[in-house]
Amino acid sequence: MTDPFGRTIDYLRISVTDRCNERCLYCMPEGYKGWAQKADHLSADQIVDIAAAAARIGFRKFRLTGGEPLIRADFLKIAQGIGALPGLHSLGVSTNGLLLAPMAADLARAGVRAVNVSLDALDPEAYRKLTGGDFAKVRAGIEAALAEGLMVKLNCVLLRGINEDQYRPLIRFAADHGTPLRFIELMPLSSTDVLTEANFLSVFELRARLHAESLLEPLADYRPGHGPARYWRDQATGAYLGFIGAITTGDFCANCNKLRLTADGKIRPCLGRHGELDLKTVLAAGSDLGELLAQAIAQKPEDHEFTQNYQPARPMTAIGG
Ligand code: SAM
Ligand code: SF4
């Protein structure tokens, strides 16, 4: 399926819940109350039905995310359902890693092949301050996933003045574990105290700093997975470093390949624009899901509105990060 701008859209990112067991300062800090009603969440069967409809019209890549997807009690049922779809090219999970260690073997058995783990600090105290979580569990999760043969990528949102001192230890950790590390620019996706210009650190600035400290070799053709990162190799450590600069990379949207399914059954053509189509009503009416997905593809905008004073109406956790 091709959108009006000639981009092939074959990737569905599914938020299975907007709840989370961490409290990242930039995502849903302590005291956050923007939850959807749990009763509004799609059931496991509904999620698999939607993914199957997407597969029938050409979607080949699926990612389960949230909120924290692994807190859903029926998560493996969802993964198994999607893992068994005909024509599937890849099934990935985005997680904070807290529950990954005990689940890694089951995920691999369910057909999950790739896991993206958020890791914003390596120092346990800094990690706890930023996320409320326990770094030892996340580390165990990353190592368990690697031991199961899953492809692991690390994601880091660097905030100026908060965790910017963590990038070198994180790069070393990524090199030691043979996992690509991606730096993601802070995006205006919810309303939190650290979503300010003062905390924003562009990937351009970070790359310039890294370049000054060691040498970065551009990897024009390296694209593990199907994400928007552009990669460089850090000569000092050998680490593969990805940079996701949604705000400062001019042609960031040029290769967009995805739609997003929200935890409460809306299809979102673009993370950085408000438009949504209601899939749940179509599901309840037993109508053609594929047709609505095709409409969403036809409505994909050329680019996001993050740099045009985009105001988040609904948090990223609901939309699916
Ligand atoms: N809980 C899982 C996790 O943390 O990986 C999956 C959901 S989380 C919303 C997905 C990704 O979105 C994480 O890598 C997180 O760092 C990123 N994220 C959340 N809020 C963000 C923001 N305001 N700007 C940039 N990235 C953000
Ligand atoms: Fe939870 Fe992930 Fe958001 Fe952190 S980034 S609060 S782990 S959903």
Side-chain angles (χ1 to χ4, degrees), residues 27-197:
C27 184
M28 47 168 127
E30 208 59 58
Y32 171 84
K33 297 238 164 34
W35 317 109
Q37 291 299 314
K38 252 196 183 157
D40 291 339
H41 283 177
L42 294 172
S43 69
D45 287 339
Q46 287 174 321
I47 292 173
V48 175
D49 284 351
I50 293 168
R56 282 194 294 278
I57 64 163
F59 281 75
R60 295 288 170 261
K61 303 156 196 163
F62 296 85
R63 171 164 299 278
L64 300 172
T65 178
E68 175 48 39
L70 299 187
I71 63 172
R72 237 185 107 136
D74 55 2
F75 181 80
L76 288 173
K77 184 176 176 196
I78 299 171
Q80 277 157 2
I82 298 178
L85 290 177
L88 180 79
H89 186 294
S90 73
L91 172 59
V93 175
S94 289
T95 173
N96 57 32
L98 277 184
L99 297 173
L100 188 52
M103 290 182 72
D106 284 337
L107 292 181
R109 265 195 295 274
V112 173
R113 292 287 164 262
V115 182
N116 289 356
V117 183
S118 284
L119 189 58
D120 299 323
L122 209 62
D123 172 66
E125 188 48 27
Y127 184 86
R128 196 193 54 74
K129 273 197 183 144
L130 198 62
T131 68
D134 177 355
F135 171 67
K137 289 193 176 142
V138 180
R139 181 185 190 121
I142 292 167
E143 290 173 354
L146 288 169
E148 289 299 330
L150 296 171
M151 181 170 121
V152 176
K153 279 186 274 171
L154 305 176
N155 284 335
C156 169
V157 178
L158 268 194
L159 306 175
R160 195 189 295 282
I162 296 184
N163 63 338
E164 69 178 297
D165 61 336
Q166 294 291 308
Y167 68 86
R168 269 289 154 208
L170 285 167
I171 291 172
R172 171 58 61 196
F173 181 87
D176 289 347
H177 287 78
T179 54
L181 168 64
R182 308 187 307 171
F183 292 104
I184 305 175
E185 267 175 3
L186 189 63
M187 293 179 265
L189 290 170
S190 39
S191 306
T192 90
D193 291 347
V194 301
L195 276 167
T196 65
E197 288 210 11

Side-chain angles (χ1 to χ4, degrees), residues 19-29 66-68 95-96 118 120 131 317:
R19 311 295 159 114
C20 189
N21 51 356
E22 285 196 344
R23 289 288 174 271
C24 297
L25 289 181
Y26 54 78
C27 184
M28 47 168 127
E68 175 48 39
T95 173
N96 57 32
S118 284
D120 299 323
T131 68
T317 48

